[in-house]
Amino acid sequence: MSHPKELIKCVISGATDRVFQCRPMKTEEDRDYRAACKEWIFGIPRGSLHLHSESWENNIFFREDICRMYIQGQFLLAPTFRTYLDTLVFMEQRAGLTDRDENDESPRRPWSALAPNGGPYRYVFIPFTDAARKLQEECKMQPQTADDLNYGKHPRGKDLLVGSDAFPVVECYAHPFAVATHADKTFSRRRTSMMTAQWRSCTADIVDQWRCAEIKPPQWFVDAPKFGLDDVDLSATEASGYDPSTSQDNTVREATTAVADRLADPVEPRTKVSSWLGKINLEAKPVEEESPPSPRKLRRSTRIAALSSPYASSPPEFYAPLSPIRRAPWPSARGRDPIRYTPAWAKRNGRFPTRRFSSNDWAYFQYGIALAARSRS
């Protein structure tokens, strides 16, 4: 989701001058099946991973020197234990990813719906160099809370090591999926102690959901046409497959001829456009066209309308999300605040949105926010 410009500041120092944008998750490294796993878990259309990698969920803003240190792996940000648990609960219970029928093509909840009220998320700052440790003193970061530390218990059941609360917390809008991806790579390049291994195991658990295909996408999703794929995106070799009479030799010959024709024509396209524009009478009146015929007035008889094929509408061939109903009943006090009172549909996997979804339901489905909730002072 979008955020105002006031939020474009260094997440560690708070600086607003010379702020650099960093994308912790790189998508060009993903193979096709791993990309499909990510897209399924992220709740986005097939083939749209490269587009969503440019969203707010994959952006962190740092001061120039801090950005350089982050890229070099002098420190990392790892989800707090609470953020880690919330992320797993979202994937396993609230995103509509698991326990689905194989042919269930209903939407999943997008990754933007994870954070309550749109974020921000909380991450532990783990330094590896002296320069990174100095940032803790310079920037006065906030300490971890008891909730961040899961009240002294590691998510795998053991007690946390003494001193686990020494790492400060950084808040930002970058998604745990993206931040955990970068943290997992940094952990693999740095020596891990018993202390930092507590967060490394949690980070690996998140990344393993798509790296090891622990949550597998159904085959219909893997085989689905990729987002934006049409004839324009096809290469010359692929496009020739539509014409059975076209051979490889003809394709090469036609391509060579086309290049030669372009080289032989010295007139630039802009010159041609200017020449054409000079021949146009800009003061001429537009040609009047006949208005389209008025639509045929339908008969009022429902019996005849039911028997007449022009009035019958064919059912949709694929599932399409319905738009919010225009006059939904005003929700109850509990229904107005789905953040505090989780709706029943959010506890199911698949087969939502429903026909009774209001705009308030859609806002919570997509972004985890409540439109109708009363503001708290």
Side-chain angles (χ1 to χ4, degrees), residues 1 59 63 96 111 134 140 147 155-156 178 188 267 282 341:
M1 62 185 300
N59 278 303
R63 198 175 63 195
W111 60 336
K134 290 181 180 179
K140 305 297 182 183
D147 189 48
R156 294 187 175 180
S188 64
V267 183
L282 300 179
Y341 308 104

Side-chain angles (χ1 to χ4, degrees), residues 199-211:
W199 286 275
R200 181 176 185 176
S201 60
C202 296
T203 300
D205 280 348
I206 295 177
V207 179
D208 283 345
Q209 302 302 315
W210 56 82
R211 179 171 56 193

Side-chain angles (χ1 to χ4, degrees), residues 228-235 239 242:
L229 183 64
D230 52 26
D231 292 349
V232 179
D233 299 324
L234 297 179
S235 63
Y242 288 104

Side-chain angles (χ1 to χ4, degrees), residues 115-377:
N117 206 24
Y121 303 96
R122 294 173 65 84
Y123 299 103
V124 176
F125 176 90
I126 300 179
F128 293 103
T129 63
D130 293 337
R133 295 184 186 94
K134 290 181 180 179
L135 289 177
Q136 294 183 237
E137 303 175 1
E138 173 192 345
C139 301
K140 305 297 182 183
M141 305 177 206
Q142 57 178 308
Q144 295 183 72
T145 64
D147 189 48
D148 292 328
L149 294 165
N150 197 32
Y151 301 95
K153 284 287 185 180
H154 191 271
R156 294 187 175 180
K158 297 182 179 180
D159 293 335
L160 296 180
L161 298 179
V162 177
S164 298
D165 57 349
F167 298 105
V169 164
V170 172
E171 290 187 344
C172 66
Y173 287 91
H175 199 278
F177 291 169
V179 176
T181 300
H182 184 273
D184 183 72
K185 292 182 178 180
T186 305
F187 271 130
S188 64
R189 300 197 308 262
R190 293 287 182 175
R191 180 177 299 177
T192 305
S193 63
M194 293 292 293
M195 181 70 70
T196 57
Q198 299 177 114
W199 286 275
R200 181 176 185 176
S201 60
C202 296
T203 300
D205 280 348
I206 295 177
V207 179
D208 283 345
Q209 302 302 315
W210 56 82
R211 179 171 56 193
C212 301
E214 294 188 3
I215 297 181
K216 297 182 179 180
Q219 193 61 39
W220 64 262
F221 181 80
V222 177
D223 299 335
K226 294 184 179 180
F227 185 82
L229 183 64
D230 52 26
D231 292 349
V232 179
D233 299 324
L234 297 179
S235 63
T237 306
E238 293 173 318
S240 65
Y242 288 104
D243 187 359
S245 63
T246 304
S247 63
Q248 184 175 2
D249 295 338
N250 292 336
T251 303
V252 174
R253 189 181 305 110
E254 291 175 1
T256 306
T257 305
V259 173
D261 292 342
R262 288 199 302 269
L263 295 177
D265 190 359
V267 183
E268 295 184 0
R270 287 176 293 183
T271 305
K272 292 182 179 180
V273 172
S274 300
S275 176
W276 168 81
L277 186 61
K279 301 176 183 179
I280 300 298
N281 184 7
L282 300 179
E283 298 180 357
K285 295 183 179 180
V287 179
E288 295 184 1
E289 298 180 356
E290 296 182 0
S291 58
S294 59
R296 182 183 301 177
K297 188 176 182 180
L298 302 180
R299 301 180 181 181
R300 294 185 177 181
S301 172
T302 57
R303 180 181 62 83
I304 298 178
L307 297 176
S308 179
S309 58
Y311 305 114
S313 59
S314 58
E317 297 181 357
F318 58 90
Y319 181 89
L322 302 173
S323 62
I325 54 180
R326 301 307 173 200
R327 293 186 178 181
W330 187 253
S332 62
R334 294 175 63 92
R336 284 197 297 267
D337 195 351
I339 297 175
R340 293 183 60 188
Y341 308 104
T342 305
W345 59 261
K347 301 177 183 179
R348 300 201 313 265
N349 275 307
R351 293 303 176 189
F352 52 73
T354 67
R355 291 182 176 272
R356 297 184 59 83
F357 256 42
S358 64
S359 297
N360 196 46
D361 295 322
W362 273 97
Y364 184 70
F365 177 84
Q366 290 283 349
Y367 300 110
I369 61 176
L371 296 180
R374 296 178 179 177
S375 59
R376 301 184 182 90
S377 57

